[in-house]
Amino acid sequence: QKEVEQNSGPLSVPEGAIASLNCTYSDRGSQSFFWYRQYSGKSPELIMFIYSNGDKEDGRFTAQLNKASQYVSLLIRDSQPSDSATYLCAVIGASGSRLTFGEGTQLTVNP
Amino acid sequence: DGGITQSPKYLFRKEGQNVTLSCEQNLNHDAMYWYRQDPGQGLRLIYYSQIVNDFQKGDIAEGYSVSREKKESFPLTVTSAQKNPTAFYLCASKQEFNTDTQYFGPGTRLTVL
């Protein structure tokens, strides 16, 4: 089992729709959870982080964490073509010393 | 300007040569990291360092070496022992508190000719 798994892509949504990106993790002691966005040929940039169970909203982005189910998700409301990118889920495990990344989900928002 | 710089942006290497990728940060971060990314793949950890003069192997350390002589610098050497070095290399840093965010440099794209 991979330490961090993301829903397989690519994911395609129409402009204005909600895009839902999902991630599960295997280390039950994981502490911190991050979503990064990576445009083609560029380095990852942080979108959201979440530490506690529940929802965290920032503009059009909402991160959701359920530690009991070992599940974290990212919702993008009113998706725009500029949101087209690969989204990486990353988790700090119980050891606390390093991030482990999923393989990413490629999102395309169609005008 | 605060941030993480990597150089060069593009690097070409002949087989059998060692090359060193530079990573510098002026964020006063304690921890620094090197990742490798292959096309369509996630990030794989090569080496990381939590304090000066100390570093640990990541998941794919074979064929790579690092040093951490200064807090702001964490160079990565890709040796000839690395059989498939063509990839996008990313350096990152963060404060050494478990929940702190990790930030990335712009990356170096290495191609072996």
Side-chain angles (χ1 to χ4, degrees):
Chain A
Q1 181 188 8
K2 293 181 181 177
E3 292 183 61
V4 179
E5 293 200 60
Q6 297 186 235
N7 51 331
S8 59
L11 177 65
S12 182
V13 300
E15 184 174 356
I18 296 175
S20 177
L21 304 163
N22 303 316
C23 176
T24 58
Y25 57 95
S26 60
D27 183 350
R28 187 167 287 279
S30 295
Q31 307 171 33
S32 309
F33 308 86
F34 302 82
W35 283 100
Y36 286 84
R37 177 176 62 198
Q38 186 177 25
Y39 292 113
S40 180
K42 302 296 186 182
S43 63
E45 55 180 329
L46 180 72
I47 299 175
M48 298 272 300
F49 59 87
I50 185 167
Y51 306 144
S52 304
N53 276 329
D55 294 359
K56 180 181 179 182
E57 188 175 317
D58 183 2
R60 295 186 296 111
F61 299 96
T62 299
Q64 299 175 316
L65 175 61
N66 184 327
K67 289 187 178 180
S69 299
Q70 295 174 240
Y71 175 90
V72 59
S73 67
L74 179 70
L75 300 178
I76 307 174
R77 291 182 302 281
D78 188 24
S79 296
Q80 301 297 309
S82 59
D83 295 326
S84 298
T86 296
Y87 290 80
L88 299 167
C89 172
V91 176
I92 293 182
S95 67
S97 60
R98 48 176 285 183
L99 272 175
T100 300
F101 285 83
E103 293 191 352
T105 299
Q106 184 179 343
L107 171 67
T108 299
V109 180
N110 301 303
Chain B
D1 253 353
I4 305 171
T5 57
Q6 291 186 243
S7 61
K9 185 173 181 179
Y10 298 97
L11 185 57
F12 298 89
R13 187 194 97 172
K14 293 182 180 178
E15 284 192 23
Q17 287 182 335
N18 293 354
V19 290
T20 297
L21 282 57
S22 170
C23 178
E24 304 277 333
Q25 55 96 2
N26 61 5
L27 301 168
N28 200 35
H29 284 172
D30 300 299
M32 297 185 74
Y33 304 80
W34 274 106
Y35 294 90
R36 168 182 172 139
Q37 188 176 36
D38 294 284
Q41 304 286 316
L43 278 65
R44 292 186 290 169
L45 183 65
I46 304 172
Y47 269 99
Y48 65 103
S49 168
Q50 294 173 286
I51 57 172
V52 174
N53 293 322
D54 188 45
F55 47 83
Q56 286 78 42
K57 292 182 179 180
D59 300 319
I60 54 165
E62 186 176 350
Y64 299 97
S65 66
V66 294
S67 63
R68 185 87 186 275
E69 297 177 1
K70 298 185 295 183
K71 186 175 183 178
E72 59 269 24
S73 179
F74 190 41
L76 173 74
T77 297
V78 184
T79 75
S80 57
Q82 171 48 236
K83 297 306 178 187
N84 187 21
T86 295
F88 188 40
Y89 289 87
L90 289 157
C91 178
S93 71
K94 76 177 182 76
Q95 283 290 10
E96 194 44 26
F97 298 102
N98 294 346
T99 56
D100 273 4
T101 302
Q102 189 169 289
Y103 296 96
F104 286 88
T108 292
R109 192 166 299 279
L110 173 63
T111 302
V112 174
L113 303 174

